Every structure is written in structure tokens, then in C-alpha cells.
Amino acid sequence: MRRRPAPAPSTPATCTSRPVRVQDFIDHYRLMSADSDFRFSEEFEELKHVGREQPCTAADLPCNRPKNRFTNILPYDHSRYKLQPVDDEEGSDYINANYVPGHNSPREFIVTQGPLHCTRDDFWRMCWESGSRAIVMLTRCVEKGREKCDRYWPYDTRPVYYGDIAVTALNESRYPDWTITELMVCRGAEQRVLKHFHFTTWPDFGVPDPPTTLARFVRAFRERCPADARPVVVHCSAGVGRSGTFITLDRALQQLAAHAEYLDIFGMVYSMRRERVWMVQTEQQYICIHQCLVAVLEGQDLQPPP
Ligand SMILES: CNC(=O)[C@H](Cc1ccc(NS(=O)(=O)O)cc1)NC(=O)[C@H](Cc1ccc(O)cc1)NC(=O)OC(C)(C)C
């Protein structure tokens, strides 16, 4: 009987994808990181302009400009999350947020900026109207004396109203690098439990120390995230660097768990940047994703040092 030809050494790289066979991934990492990460720098540079030609007209409306935390981080029109409009109020459907694909669905995540004080009611409307049951927060509210995100959830068990949405903290579990809080969210007669996963030790524009802390957080999130297919709200301060890094690693770890033959980190970041600007903002964040995957493939325990 004719033997099937051996599979090609790797699927062809294109301008939108660069798949690597899982069994070759550790060697791939060593090659890319050689000579002071020379090939990682080259590859990350290829992503620089992806998606940037797409319009952001809603974000640029005068009534919406104050709703953007940063002038250079605006949601593309085609993938932006739209709030249910309020009467004929111009801009009432606007929030700085985009749908981003994940391993499980093309709209698995809603990625957004850290709420401003003036947009936190909109943020809770988005969480409610999208049916989300989980929020992943990847920044502290204040870092190096600068506000990065409003404190948009209650400090204790007394309910706080954000517009017509009441939020109550039910319980809180604190760990060295993250805190998980169960929130009761009520609107009218309906109430829901939503989990808040807060990574508390990730410096802006940087990577966790050690990088594998991120892999442990992604694992903790997946172990506790409600299994239903509702979108997960993910944010940092601008909702691009740390948020994109988290989502990329989550997708890759789920692919490994599903025994995928290839990992295409370049292709994942490419597809995310078509939906939201600058997803995975720095080269070090791009490399951190690979370092976490190497640690998992090497069978490192990932447990924190004693
Ligand atoms: C390099 N820093 C930035 O680009 C931040 C936006 C930003 C992006 C990513 C992150 N990291 S995160 O996504 O992980 O939270 C934080 C902040 N933008 C600003 O600070 C921009 C200035 C800027 C910087 C760089 C650029 O190319 C264009 C404009 N400033 C700005 O928006 O000023 C306000 C807040 C007073 C309105």
C-alpha cells in the first residue's frame, strides 16, 4: 500500500501568517532570539502598519472625543462595540472598544480602554448589554502616580450605582499577582454574577516579572472563567498592549491544549490588529508570549518561586 507522503516541513509563511510547527517551536524561539532578538525585531516590525488604513470616524466625532482616554488609541468603525443608543442622543452608542477574535469565536473578546470617570457608566452598560460574565483587568488604577484606569467597581459589599446598574462585591480572593472578585450586577429586576480577574503586577509598556507569571494568570483565568460563549471584556489602560498580549497567549495556550500541530503567533497578532490598533504594543510583549509558550512546551511547572 502506498505510504502517505511525509507532511510538508511547515505550512508556507505568507504576509499575514507565519505558522510554526509545535515540535519546532523551541528551536524557532532560539533562532528568533539569537543576536539580541534580531529576527523577533524584524518580524514585529512587519506588523507595524497592519489595520492602520481603517477609519475611526465615530471616535473622531466632537461629542465622542472626550470619551477617549488617549488621542492615538481610537477604535476602528468596522469592529467597534456599539451601545444601545439612548433616544436620539448623538454619540450615545459610542465606547472606545472593539470586538476581537479568540480561540473559541470571532467575537470572543471585547477589548476596551480603562474606563474614564466619565465613561464608567457606559462601560457597565457595555458589560450588561453584551451579556458578559467576565472582566479581565491588566493594569492598576494608578501607576507611578498617574491614573491609568478609573476605580469602576465597588471597594466593599455596599452596592454602587453606575447609571441604572447596581454593582456589589460578593467576595474577593487575593493572590500575589492577581485578585479575583465576584460581582453581583443588577439592572431592573435582573441580576447576574460577573467575575473580575485583576492582574495587579504588570507594568505599563513592559512585561510581567517573570514573564511566566502571565501564563499562570491565563491558566487561572481559564480555570475559573464561566464556560458560556458570552464575550469576555478585557482592558488595560489603553486596551492595546497588555490586552493584546493576554489574548494572544490565551489563544495559543488553548491551541496547545487542543493538540494543534502549528502555532501562528504572527498571524494571531496580525488578525487582532485588523480589529484594534496596536494589539501587542511592544516587541518585548511579543517576545514574552513566545517565552511563556516555550516554558509550557518545556514542561516547566510555572509555579512561582518559593
Ligand atoms: C506610547 N504611549 C501612547 O501611545 C499613549 C497611549 C497608550 C498606549 C498603550 C498603553 N499601554 S496598554 O495598552 O498596555 O495600557 C498605554 C498608553 N498615548 C499617549 O500618551 C498620547 C500621546 C501620544 C503618544 C504616542 C503617540 O504615538 C501619539 C500620541 N497622549 C494623550 O493621549 O494625551 C492625553 C491623555 C492628555 C489626551
Side-chain angles (χ1 to χ4, degrees):
M1 180 176 73
R2 261 170 52 84
R3 288 174 55 81
R4 288 168 55 88
S10 70
T11 56
T14 68
C15 60
T16 64
S17 71
R18 297 186 182 183
V20 177
R21 195 186 291 276
V22 168
Q23 68 190 43
D24 302 330
F25 196 84
I26 294 173
D27 288 340
H28 171 75
Y29 173 76
R30 290 182 182 133
L31 178 67
M32 295 294 281
S33 56
D35 303 319
S36 305
D37 300 323
F38 177 74
R39 290 177 182 81
F40 271 130
S41 300
E42 276 192 325
E43 182 164 288
F44 190 67
E45 184 69 14
E46 290 296 307
L47 293 161
K48 190 172 185 178
H49 301 295
V50 174
R52 307 291 281 137
E53 80 287 354
Q54 300 175 116
C56 306
T57 50
D60 257 336
L61 291 174
C63 63
N64 290 333
R65 280 186 201 143
K67 303 172 187 176
N68 299 315
R69 179 174 285 275
F70 298 104
T71 56
N72 63 320
I73 308 297
L74 303 179
Y76 297 130
D77 293 328
H78 77 91
S79 57
R80 76 181 179 94
Y81 182 85
K82 294 180 181 176
L83 297 165
Q84 289 169 13
V86 176
D87 304 330
D88 290 334
E89 185 184 320
E90 190 188 22
S92 60
D93 75 344
Y94 179 79
I95 185 168
N96 189 311
N98 297 93
Y99 281 109
V100 169
H103 178 73
N104 303 302
S105 83
R107 287 189 158 189
E108 182 166 359
F109 299 100
I110 297 173
V111 183
T112 189
Q113 65 183 22
L116 294 158
H117 193 70
C118 69
T119 64
R120 67 184 189 176
D121 293 2
D122 296 336
F123 173 84
W124 280 110
R125 248 192 340 124
M126 177 175 73
C127 292
W128 184 270
E129 292 172 3
S130 65
S132 180
R133 295 297 194 275
I135 297 171
V136 175
M137 175 175 179
L138 302 165
T139 183
R140 286 195 302 279
C141 289
V142 177
E143 294 176 350
K144 295 181 180 174
R146 302 182 70 173
E147 198 227 54
K148 301 285 184 150
C149 180
D150 182 69
R151 174 72 194 213
Y152 61 84
W153 72 105
Y155 286 93
D156 53 38
T157 55
R158 286 170 295 181
V160 178
Y161 274 84
Y162 305 96
D164 64 347
I165 295 171
V167 182
T168 308
L170 298 176
N171 58 63
E172 181 183 89
S173 303
R174 288 191 182 205
Y175 304 91
D177 296 289
W178 56 82
T179 298
I180 299 173
T181 308
E182 276 200 333
L183 301 170
M184 176 66 77
V185 186
C186 303
R187 192 181 204 183
E190 189 179 347
Q191 62 182 32
R192 301 171 188 168
V193 174
L194 187 147
K195 284 189 180 179
H196 188 263
F197 299 82
H198 186 189
F199 193 115
T200 53
T201 59
W202 191 343
D204 203 351
F205 309 112
V207 295
D209 180 22
T212 48
T213 311
L214 179 56
R216 288 195 294 110
F217 176 69
V218 170
R219 184 172 57 188
F221 161 71
R222 276 295 160 197
E223 286 171 353
R224 295 165 178 82
C225 182
D228 49 39
R230 296 179 177 87
V232 174
V233 174
V234 179
H235 77 84
C236 35
S237 182
V240 295
R242 290 169 284 185
S243 296
T245 305
F246 168 85
I247 291 171
T248 306
L249 185 59
D250 176 63
R251 290 175 67 173
L253 288 176
Q254 289 190 77
Q255 282 187 9
L256 285 183
H259 307 297
E261 196 177 348
Y262 294 93
L263 284 175
D264 183 5
I265 305 306
F266 179 87
M268 285 183 204
V269 177
Y270 189 102
S271 68
M272 287 198 303
R273 285 195 173 197
R274 296 293 306 168
E275 309 305 320
R276 186 167 172 87
V277 66
W278 281 13
M279 295 291 277
V280 185
Q281 187 197 19
T282 72
E283 184 184 308
Q284 280 312 306
Q285 290 170 347
Y286 191 72
I287 294 170
C288 168
I289 295 163
H290 290 77
Q291 290 171 328
C292 288
L293 293 169
V294 166
V296 170
L297 290 168
E298 286 178 336
Q300 289 180 32
D301 180 25
L302 297 185
Q303 284 310 314

mmCIF file with all atom_site columns, all heavy atoms in Angstrom, residues 33-53:
data_model
loop_
_atom_site.group_PDB
_atom_site.id
_atom_site.type_symbol
_atom_site.label_atom_id
_atom_site.label_alt_id
_atom_site.label_comp_id
_atom_site.label_asym_id
_atom_site.label_entity_id
_atom_site.label_seq_id
_atom_site.pdbx_PDB_ins_code
_atom_site.Cartn_x
_atom_site.Cartn_y
_atom_site.Cartn_z
_atom_site.occupancy
_atom_site.B_iso_or_equiv
_atom_site.pdbx_formal_charge
_atom_site.auth_seq_id
_atom_site.auth_comp_id
_atom_site.auth_asym_id
_atom_site.auth_atom_id
_atom_site.pdbx_PDB_model_num
ATOM 1   N N   . SER A 1 33 ? 15.503 34.586 18.705 1.00 0.00 ? 33 SER A N   1
ATOM 2   C CA  . SER A 1 33 ? 16.065 35.414 19.789 1.00 0.00 ? 33 SER A CA  1
ATOM 3   C C   . SER A 1 33 ? 17.585 35.565 19.684 1.00 0.00 ? 33 SER A C   1
ATOM 4   O O   . SER A 1 33 ? 18.198 36.355 20.410 1.00 0.00 ? 33 SER A O   1
ATOM 5   C CB  . SER A 1 33 ? 15.702 34.818 21.155 1.00 0.00 ? 33 SER A CB  1
ATOM 6   O OG  . SER A 1 33 ? 16.134 33.468 21.239 1.00 0.00 ? 33 SER A OG  1
ATOM 7   N N   . ALA A 1 34 ? 18.184 34.848 18.747 1.00 0.00 ? 34 ALA A N   1
ATOM 8   C CA  . ALA A 1 34 ? 19.644 34.966 18.580 1.00 0.00 ? 34 ALA A CA  1
ATOM 9   C C   . ALA A 1 34 ? 20.019 36.389 18.160 1.00 0.00 ? 34 ALA A C   1
ATOM 10  O O   . ALA A 1 34 ? 19.183 37.142 17.625 1.00 0.00 ? 34 ALA A O   1
ATOM 11  C CB  . ALA A 1 34 ? 20.103 33.964 17.531 1.00 0.00 ? 34 ALA A CB  1
ATOM 12  N N   . ASP A 1 35 ? 21.256 36.761 18.402 1.00 0.00 ? 35 ASP A N   1
ATOM 13  C CA  . ASP A 1 35 ? 21.753 38.099 18.006 1.00 0.00 ? 35 ASP A CA  1
ATOM 14  C C   . ASP A 1 35 ? 20.836 39.204 18.534 1.00 0.00 ? 35 ASP A C   1
ATOM 15  O O   . ASP A 1 35 ? 20.328 40.038 17.787 1.00 0.00 ? 35 ASP A O   1
ATOM 16  C CB  . ASP A 1 35 ? 21.850 38.201 16.473 1.00 0.00 ? 35 ASP A CB  1
ATOM 17  C CG  . ASP A 1 35 ? 22.733 37.119 15.871 1.00 0.00 ? 35 ASP A CG  1
ATOM 18  O OD1 . ASP A 1 35 ? 23.785 36.852 16.500 1.00 0.00 ? 35 ASP A OD1 1
ATOM 19  O OD2 . ASP A 1 35 ? 22.327 36.511 14.866 1.00 0.00 ? 35 ASP A OD2 1
ATOM 20  N N   . SER A 1 36 ? 20.623 39.167 19.867 1.00 0.00 ? 36 SER A N   1
ATOM 21  C CA  . SER A 1 36 ? 19.807 40.222 20.527 1.00 0.00 ? 36 SER A CA  1
ATOM 22  C C   . SER A 1 36 ? 18.413 40.347 19.909 1.00 0.00 ? 36 SER A C   1
ATOM 23  O O   . SER A 1 36 ? 17.946 41.446 19.577 1.00 0.00 ? 36 SER A O   1
ATOM 24  C CB  . SER A 1 36 ? 20.556 41.569 20.450 1.00 0.00 ? 36 SER A CB  1
ATOM 25  O OG  . SER A 1 36 ? 21.846 41.439 20.988 1.00 0.00 ? 36 SER A OG  1
ATOM 26  N N   . ASP A 1 37 ? 17.770 39.204 19.752 1.00 0.00 ? 37 ASP A N   1
ATOM 27  C CA  . ASP A 1 37 ? 16.375 39.152 19.276 1.00 0.00 ? 37 ASP A CA  1
ATOM 28  C C   . ASP A 1 37 ? 16.223 39.721 17.863 1.00 0.00 ? 37 ASP A C   1
ATOM 29  O O   . ASP A 1 37 ? 15.162 40.245 17.513 1.00 0.00 ? 37 ASP A O   1
ATOM 30  C CB  . ASP A 1 37 ? 15.449 39.925 20.231 1.00 0.00 ? 37 ASP A CB  1
ATOM 31  C CG  . ASP A 1 37 ? 15.455 39.361 21.636 1.00 0.00 ? 37 ASP A CG  1
ATOM 32  O OD1 . ASP A 1 37 ? 15.541 38.121 21.758 1.00 0.00 ? 37 ASP A OD1 1
ATOM 33  O OD2 . ASP A 1 37 ? 15.388 40.165 22.594 1.00 0.00 ? 37 ASP A OD2 1
ATOM 34  N N   . PHE A 1 38 ? 17.271 39.587 17.054 1.00 0.00 ? 38 PHE A N   1
ATOM 35  C CA  . PHE A 1 38 ? 17.266 40.246 15.735 1.00 0.00 ? 38 PHE A CA  1
ATOM 36  C C   . PHE A 1 38 ? 16.067 39.852 14.887 1.00 0.00 ? 38 PHE A C   1
ATOM 37  O O   . PHE A 1 38 ? 15.356 40.692 14.332 1.00 0.00 ? 38 PHE A O   1
ATOM 38  C CB  . PHE A 1 38 ? 18.569 39.901 14.993 1.00 0.00 ? 38 PHE A CB  1
ATOM 39  C CG  . PHE A 1 38 ? 18.630 40.478 13.602 1.00 0.00 ? 38 PHE A CG  1
ATOM 40  C CD1 . PHE A 1 38 ? 18.859 41.845 13.414 1.00 0.00 ? 38 PHE A CD1 1
ATOM 41  C CD2 . PHE A 1 38 ? 18.417 39.684 12.484 1.00 0.00 ? 38 PHE A CD2 1
ATOM 42  C CE1 . PHE A 1 38 ? 18.894 42.392 12.144 1.00 0.00 ? 38 PHE A CE1 1
ATOM 43  C CE2 . PHE A 1 38 ? 18.452 40.215 11.200 1.00 0.00 ? 38 PHE A CE2 1
ATOM 44  C CZ  . PHE A 1 38 ? 18.697 41.583 11.029 1.00 0.00 ? 38 PHE A CZ  1
ATOM 45  N N   . ARG A 1 39 ? 15.769 38.546 14.830 1.00 0.00 ? 39 ARG A N   1
ATOM 46  C CA  . ARG A 1 39 ? 14.665 38.108 13.959 1.00 0.00 ? 39 ARG A CA  1
ATOM 47  C C   . ARG A 1 39 ? 13.297 38.440 14.563 1.00 0.00 ? 39 ARG A C   1
ATOM 48  O O   . ARG A 1 39 ? 12.337 38.703 13.855 1.00 0.00 ? 39 ARG A O   1
ATOM 49  C CB  . ARG A 1 39 ? 14.791 36.617 13.652 1.00 0.00 ? 39 ARG A CB  1
ATOM 50  C CG  . ARG A 1 39 ? 15.971 36.277 12.741 1.00 0.00 ? 39 ARG A CG  1
ATOM 51  C CD  . ARG A 1 39 ? 16.112 34.778 12.512 1.00 0.00 ? 39 ARG A CD  1
ATOM 52  N NE  . ARG A 1 39 ? 17.264 34.451 11.671 1.00 0.00 ? 39 ARG A NE  1
ATOM 53  C CZ  . ARG A 1 39 ? 18.515 34.378 12.125 1.00 0.00 ? 39 ARG A CZ  1
ATOM 54  N NH1 . ARG A 1 39 ? 18.763 34.652 13.417 1.00 0.00 ? 39 ARG A NH1 1
ATOM 55  N NH2 . ARG A 1 39 ? 19.513 34.074 11.317 1.00 0.00 ? 39 ARG A NH2 1
ATOM 56  N N   . PHE A 1 40 ? 13.209 38.479 15.904 1.00 0.00 ? 40 PHE A N   1
ATOM 57  C CA  . PHE A 1 40 ? 11.967 38.937 16.529 1.00 0.00 ? 40 PHE A CA  1
ATOM 58  C C   . PHE A 1 40 ? 11.712 40.401 16.154 1.00 0.00 ? 40 PHE A C   1
ATOM 59  O O   . PHE A 1 40 ? 10.590 40.796 15.826 1.00 0.00 ? 40 PHE A O   1
ATOM 60  C CB  . PHE A 1 40 ? 12.040 38.810 18.056 1.00 0.00 ? 40 PHE A CB  1
ATOM 61  C CG  . PHE A 1 40 ? 11.582 37.485 18.603 1.00 0.00 ? 40 PHE A CG  1
ATOM 62  C CD1 . PHE A 1 40 ? 12.366 36.797 19.501 1.00 0.00 ? 40 PHE A CD1 1
ATOM 63  C CD2 . PHE A 1 40 ? 10.353 36.937 18.233 1.00 0.00 ? 40 PHE A CD2 1
ATOM 64  C CE1 . PHE A 1 40 ? 11.950 35.585 20.034 1.00 0.00 ? 40 PHE A CE1 1
ATOM 65  C CE2 . PHE A 1 40 ? 9.930  35.720 18.744 1.00 0.00 ? 40 PHE A CE2 1
ATOM 66  C CZ  . PHE A 1 40 ? 10.729 35.041 19.642 1.00 0.00 ? 40 PHE A CZ  1
ATOM 67  N N   . SER A 1 41 ? 12.772 41.210 16.175 1.00 0.00 ? 41 SER A N   1
ATOM 68  C CA  . SER A 1 41 ? 12.625 42.636 15.818 1.00 0.00 ? 41 SER A CA  1
ATOM 69  C C   . SER A 1 41 ? 12.119 42.776 14.395 1.00 0.00 ? 41 SER A C   1
ATOM 70  O O   . SER A 1 41 ? 11.193 43.554 14.131 1.00 0.00 ? 41 SER A O   1
ATOM 71  C CB  . SER A 1 41 ? 13.974 43.361 15.964 1.00 0.00 ? 41 SER A CB  1
ATOM 72  O OG  . SER A 1 41 ? 14.440 43.265 17.285 1.00 0.00 ? 41 SER A OG  1
ATOM 73  N N   . GLU A 1 42 ? 12.717 42.009 13.496 1.00 0.00 ? 42 GLU A N   1
ATOM 74  C CA  . GLU A 1 42 ? 12.296 42.066 12.076 1.00 0.00 ? 42 GLU A CA  1
ATOM 75  C C   . GLU A 1 42 ? 10.833 41.664 11.923 1.00 0.00 ? 42 GLU A C   1
ATOM 76  O O   . GLU A 1 42 ? 10.057 42.336 11.233 1.00 0.00 ? 42 GLU A O   1
ATOM 77  C CB  . GLU A 1 42 ? 13.162 41.099 11.258 1.00 0.00 ? 42 GLU A CB  1
ATOM 78  C CG  . GLU A 1 42 ? 14.484 41.636 10.793 1.00 0.00 ? 42 GLU A CG  1
ATOM 79  C CD  . GLU A 1 42 ? 15.117 40.697 9.745  1.00 0.00 ? 42 GLU A CD  1
ATOM 80  O OE1 . GLU A 1 42 ? 14.938 39.466 9.882  1.00 0.00 ? 42 GLU A OE1 1
ATOM 81  O OE2 . GLU A 1 42 ? 15.738 41.196 8.805  1.00 0.00 ? 42 GLU A OE2 1
ATOM 82  N N   . GLU A 1 43 ? 10.452 40.570 12.598 1.00 0.00 ? 43 GLU A N   1
ATOM 83  C CA  . GLU A 1 43 ? 9.080  40.058 12.450 1.00 0.00 ? 43 GLU A CA  1
ATOM 84  C C   . GLU A 1 43 ? 8.072  41.035 13.043 1.00 0.00 ? 43 GLU A C   1
ATOM 85  O O   . GLU A 1 43 ? 7.034  41.329 12.433 1.00 0.00 ? 43 GLU A O   1
ATOM 86  C CB  . GLU A 1 43 ? 8.963  38.690 13.129 1.00 0.00 ? 43 GLU A CB  1
ATOM 87  C CG  . GLU A 1 43 ? 7.592  38.050 12.985 1.00 0.00 ? 43 GLU A CG  1
ATOM 88  C CD  . GLU A 1 43 ? 7.622  36.564 13.306 1.00 0.00 ? 43 GLU A CD  1
ATOM 89  O OE1 . GLU A 1 43 ? 8.169  35.790 12.507 1.00 0.00 ? 43 GLU A OE1 1
ATOM 90  O OE2 . GLU A 1 43 ? 7.072  36.187 14.367 1.00 0.00 ? 43 GLU A OE2 1
ATOM 91  N N   . PHE A 1 44 ? 8.393  41.584 14.219 1.00 0.00 ? 44 PHE A N   1
ATOM 92  C CA  . PHE A 1 44 ? 7.451  42.510 14.870 1.00 0.00 ? 44 PHE A CA  1
ATOM 93  C C   . PHE A 1 44 ? 7.270  43.773 14.036 1.00 0.00 ? 44 PHE A C   1
ATOM 94  O O   . PHE A 1 44 ? 6.176  44.322 13.921 1.00 0.00 ? 44 PHE A O   1
ATOM 95  C CB  . PHE A 1 44 ? 7.954  42.847 16.282 1.00 0.00 ? 44 PHE A CB  1
ATOM 96  C CG  . PHE A 1 44 ? 6.952  43.605 17.117 1.00 0.00 ? 44 PHE A CG  1
ATOM 97  C CD1 . PHE A 1 44 ? 5.770  43.004 17.534 1.00 0.00 ? 44 PHE A CD1 1
ATOM 98  C CD2 . PHE A 1 44 ? 7.170  44.929 17.459 1.00 0.00 ? 44 PHE A CD2 1
ATOM 99  C CE1 . PHE A 1 44 ? 4.839  43.698 18.305 1.00 0.00 ? 44 PHE A CE1 1
ATOM 100 C CE2 . PHE A 1 44 ? 6.250  45.639 18.212 1.00 0.00 ? 44 PHE A CE2 1
ATOM 101 C CZ  . PHE A 1 44 ? 5.081  45.018 18.645 1.00 0.00 ? 44 PHE A CZ  1
ATOM 102 N N   . GLU A 1 45 ? 8.345  44.208 13.378 1.00 0.00 ? 45 GLU A N   1
ATOM 103 C CA  . GLU A 1 45 ? 8.288  45.404 12.522 1.00 0.00 ? 45 GLU A CA  1
ATOM 104 C C   . GLU A 1 45 ? 7.316  45.205 11.351 1.00 0.00 ? 45 GLU A C   1
ATOM 105 O O   . GLU A 1 45 ? 6.652  46.160 10.916 1.00 0.00 ? 45 GLU A O   1
ATOM 106 C CB  . GLU A 1 45 ? 9.700  45.711 11.982 1.00 0.00 ? 45 GLU A CB  1
ATOM 107 C CG  . GLU A 1 45 ? 9.817  46.979 11.166 1.00 0.00 ? 45 GLU A CG  1
ATOM 108 C CD  . GLU A 1 45 ? 9.654  48.266 11.981 1.00 0.00 ? 45 GLU A CD  1
ATOM 109 O OE1 . GLU A 1 45 ? 9.706  48.185 13.233 1.00 0.00 ? 45 GLU A OE1 1
ATOM 110 O OE2 . GLU A 1 45 ? 9.420  49.308 11.383 1.00 0.00 ? 45 GLU A OE2 1
ATOM 111 N N   . GLU A 1 46 ? 7.165  43.965 10.898 1.00 0.00 ? 46 GLU A N   1
ATOM 112 C CA  . GLU A 1 46 ? 6.247  43.671 9.781  1.00 0.00 ? 46 GLU A CA  1
ATOM 113 C C   . GLU A 1 46 ? 4.795  43.960 10.159 1.00 0.00 ? 46 GLU A C   1
ATOM 114 O O   . GLU A 1 46 ? 3.938  44.111 9.282  1.00 0.00 ? 46 GLU A O   1
ATOM 115 C CB  . GLU A 1 46 ? 6.374  42.187 9.377  1.00 0.00 ? 46 GLU A CB  1
ATOM 116 C CG  . GLU A 1 46 ? 7.689  41.831 8.698  1.00 0.00 ? 46 GLU A CG  1
ATOM 117 C CD  . GLU A 1 46 ? 7.855  42.560 7.374  1.00 0.00 ? 46 GLU A CD  1
ATOM 118 O OE1 . GLU A 1 46 ? 6.943  42.469 6.542  1.00 0.00 ? 46 GLU A OE1 1
ATOM 119 O OE2 . GLU A 1 46 ? 8.880  43.254 7.226  1.00 0.00 ? 46 GLU A OE2 1
ATOM 120 N N   . LEU A 1 47 ? 4.510  44.038 11.453 1.00 0.00 ? 47 LEU A N   1
ATOM 121 C CA  . LEU A 1 47 ? 3.124  44.226 11.923 1.00 0.00 ? 47 LEU A CA  1
ATOM 122 C C   . LEU A 1 47 ? 2.759  45.699 12.085 1.00 0.00 ? 47 LEU A C   1
ATOM 123 O O   . LEU A 1 47 ? 1.621  46.053 12.362 1.00 0.00 ? 47 LEU A O   1
ATOM 124 C CB  . LEU A 1 47 ? 2.938  43.508 13.268 1.00 0.00 ? 47 LEU A CB  1
ATOM 125 C CG  . LEU A 1 47 ? 3.009  41.985 13.235 1.00 0.00 ? 47 LEU A CG  1
ATOM 126 C CD1 . LEU A 1 47 ? 3.268  41.418 14.637 1.00 0.00 ? 47 LEU A CD1 1
ATOM 127 C CD2 . LEU A 1 47 ? 1.721  41.386 12.655 1.00 0.00 ? 47 LEU A CD2 1
ATOM 128 N N   . LYS A 1 48 ? 3.788  46.560 11.890 1.00 0.00 ? 48 LYS A N   1
ATOM 129 C CA  . LYS A 1 48 ? 3.664  47.968 12.305 1.00 0.00 ? 48 LYS A CA  1
ATOM 130 C C   . LYS A 1 48 ? 2.430  48.674 11.733 1.00 0.00 ? 48 LYS A C   1
ATOM 131 O O   . LYS A 1 48 ? 1.743  49.404 12.435 1.00 0.00 ? 48 LYS A O   1
ATOM 132 C CB  . LYS A 1 48 ? 4.931  48.726 11.888 1.00 0.00 ? 48 LYS A CB  1
ATOM 133 C CG  . LYS A 1 48 ? 5.048  50.130 12.452 1.00 0.00 ? 48 LYS A CG  1
ATOM 134 C CD  . LYS A 1 48 ? 6.426  50.709 12.125 1.00 0.00 ? 48 LYS A CD  1
ATOM 135 C CE  . LYS A 1 48 ? 6.621  52.074 12.785 1.00 0.00 ? 48 LYS A CE  1
ATOM 136 N NZ  . LYS A 1 48 ? 7.992  52.605 12.500 1.00 0.00 ? 48 LYS A NZ  1
ATOM 137 N N   . HIS A 1 49 ? 2.167  48.442 10.432 1.00 0.00 ? 49 HIS A N   1
ATOM 138 C CA  . HIS A 1 49 ? 1.109  49.233 9.765  1.00 0.00 ? 49 HIS A CA  1
ATOM 139 C C   . HIS A 1 49 ? -0.197 48.457 9.592  1.00 0.00 ? 49 HIS A C   1
ATOM 140 O O   . HIS A 1 49 ? -1.145 48.976 8.991  1.00 0.00 ? 49 HIS A O   1
ATOM 141 C CB  . HIS A 1 49 ? 1.630  49.719 8.410  1.00 0.00 ? 49 HIS A CB  1
ATOM 142 C CG  . HIS A 1 49 ? 2.872  50.568 8.522  1.00 0.00 ? 49 HIS A CG  1
ATOM 143 N ND1 . HIS A 1 49 ? 2.884  51.793 9.134  1.00 0.00 ? 49 HIS A ND1 1
ATOM 144 C CD2 . HIS A 1 49 ? 4.148  50.306 8.131  1.00 0.00 ? 49 HIS A CD2 1
ATOM 145 C CE1 . HIS A 1 49 ? 4.115  52.296 9.095  1.00 0.00 ? 49 HIS A CE1 1
ATOM 146 N NE2 . HIS A 1 49 ? 4.905  51.415 8.506  1.00 0.00 ? 49 HIS A NE2 1
ATOM 147 N N   . VAL A 1 50 ? -0.263 47.242 10.127 1.00 0.00 ? 50 VAL A N   1
ATOM 148 C CA  . VAL A 1 50 ? -1.453 46.403 9.912  1.00 0.00 ? 50 VAL A CA  1
ATOM 149 C C   . VAL A 1 50 ? -2.700 47.101 10.471 1.00 0.00 ? 50 VAL A C   1
ATOM 150 O O   . VAL A 1 50 ? -2.734 47.492 11.640 1.00 0.00 ? 50 VAL A O   1
ATOM 151 C CB  . VAL A 1 50 ? -1.270 45.018 10.559 1.00 0.00 ? 50 VAL A CB  1
ATOM 152 C CG1 . VAL A 1 50 ? -2.557 44.204 10.475 1.00 0.00 ? 50 VAL A CG1 1
ATOM 153 C CG2 . VAL A 1 50 ? -0.110 44.264 9.902  1.00 0.00 ? 50 VAL A CG2 1
ATOM 154 N N   . GLY A 1 51 ? -3.704 47.289 9.608  1.00 0.00 ? 51 GLY A N   1
ATOM 155 C CA  . GLY A 1 51 ? -5.006 47.816 10.037 1.00 0.00 ? 51 GLY A CA  1
ATOM 156 C C   . GLY A 1 51 ? -5.104 49.321 10.064 1.00 0.00 ? 51 GLY A C   1
ATOM 157 O O   . GLY A 1 51 ? -6.195 49.878 10.191 1.00 0.00 ? 51 GLY A O   1
ATOM 158 N N   . ARG A 1 52 ? -3.995 50.015 9.924  1.00 0.00 ? 52 ARG A N   1
ATOM 159 C CA  . ARG A 1 52 ? -3.959 51.443 10.199 1.00 0.00 ? 52 ARG A CA  1
ATOM 160 C C   . ARG A 1 52 ? -4.699 52.273 9.149  1.00 0.00 ? 52 ARG A C   1
ATOM 161 O O   . ARG A 1 52 ? -4.971 53.447 9.354  1.00 0.00 ? 52 ARG A O   1
ATOM 162 C CB  . ARG A 1 52 ? -2.517 51.954 10.318 1.00 0.00 ? 52 ARG A CB  1
ATOM 163 C CG  . ARG A 1 52 ? -1.675 51.199 11.305 1.00 0.00 ? 52 ARG A CG  1
ATOM 164 C CD  . ARG A 1 52 ? -2.122 51.443 12.746 1.00 0.00 ? 52 ARG A CD  1
ATOM 165 N NE  . ARG A 1 52 ? -1.644 52.717 13.264 1.00 0.00 ? 52 ARG A NE  1
ATOM 166 C CZ  . ARG A 1 52 ? -2.387 53.553 13.991 1.00 0.00 ? 52 ARG A CZ  1
ATOM 167 N NH1 . ARG A 1 52 ? -3.636 53.271 14.260 1.00 0.00 ? 52 ARG A NH1 1
ATOM 168 N NH2 . ARG A 1 52 ? -1.891 54.684 14.453 1.00 0.00 ? 52 ARG A NH2 1
ATOM 169 N N   . GLU A 1 53 ? -5.053 51.653 8.005  1.00 0.00 ? 53 GLU A N   1
ATOM 170 C CA  . GLU A 1 53 ? -5.768 52.415 6.960  1.00 0.00 ? 53 GLU A CA  1
ATOM 171 C C   . GLU A 1 53 ? -7.269 52.491 7.233  1.00 0.00 ? 53 GLU A C   1
ATOM 172 O O   . GLU A 1 53 ? -8.009 53.162 6.511  1.00 0.00 ? 53 GLU A O   1
ATOM 173 C CB  . GLU A 1 53 ? -5.499 51.756 5.599  1.00 0.00 ? 53 GLU A CB  1
ATOM 174 C CG  . GLU A 1 53 ? -6.346 50.524 5.301  1.00 0.00 ? 53 GLU A CG  1
ATOM 175 C CD  . GLU A 1 53 ? -5.934 49.272 6.121  1.00 0.00 ? 53 GLU A CD  1
ATOM 176 O OE1 . GLU A 1 53 ? -4.911 49.334 6.853  1.00 0.00 ? 53 GLU A OE1 1
ATOM 177 O OE2 . GLU A 1 53 ? -6.643 48.249 6.019  1.00 0.00 ? 53 GLU A OE2 1
#
